[in-house]
Amino acid sequence: MCEANAYVLKNGQEELVFERVDRVLPHERGLLLQDIFGRQLILEARIKELALVDHKIILERIEK
């Protein structure tokens, strides 16, 4: 499988927030993540790093 897991950086640590991510789309509030089953999660975050070999999407929260 080619999907990835999404993590948010929190105090320098990666915290798993969404598994089996298939799509990442820009959203008015940040990012919309969609998994292979069609479930969705909207996060007020931006991409910090894509580690594709490791199947990781590293996100950081948007400060408002």
Side-chain angles (χ1 to χ4, degrees):
M1 292 295 212
C2 296
E3 69 271 7
N5 291 327
Y7 300 83
V8 170
L9 283 180
K10 187 173 183 181
N11 299 324
Q13 301 292 316
E14 297 173 1
E15 180 178 286
L16 179 64
V17 292
F18 206 56
E19 296 180 294
R20 299 180 179 151
V21 177
D22 181 44
R23 301 178 76 193
V24 179
L25 301 166
H27 186 273
E28 63 190 31
R29 292 176 30 211
L31 295 171
L32 184 151
L33 307 178
Q34 185 175 36
D35 71 10
I36 59 173
F37 304 108
R39 294 179 292 212
Q40 298 181 344
L41 175 69
I42 296 170
L43 286 174
E44 293 180 2
R46 62 178 156 247
I47 296 172
K48 175 141 178 90
E49 178 183 350
L50 296 174
L52 300 178
V53 171
D54 296 329
H55 303 272
K56 286 183 171 184
I57 301 166
I58 310 298
L59 308 171
E60 62 184 2
R61 295 278 183 188
I62 298 172
E63 301 293 327
K64 293 190 174 186

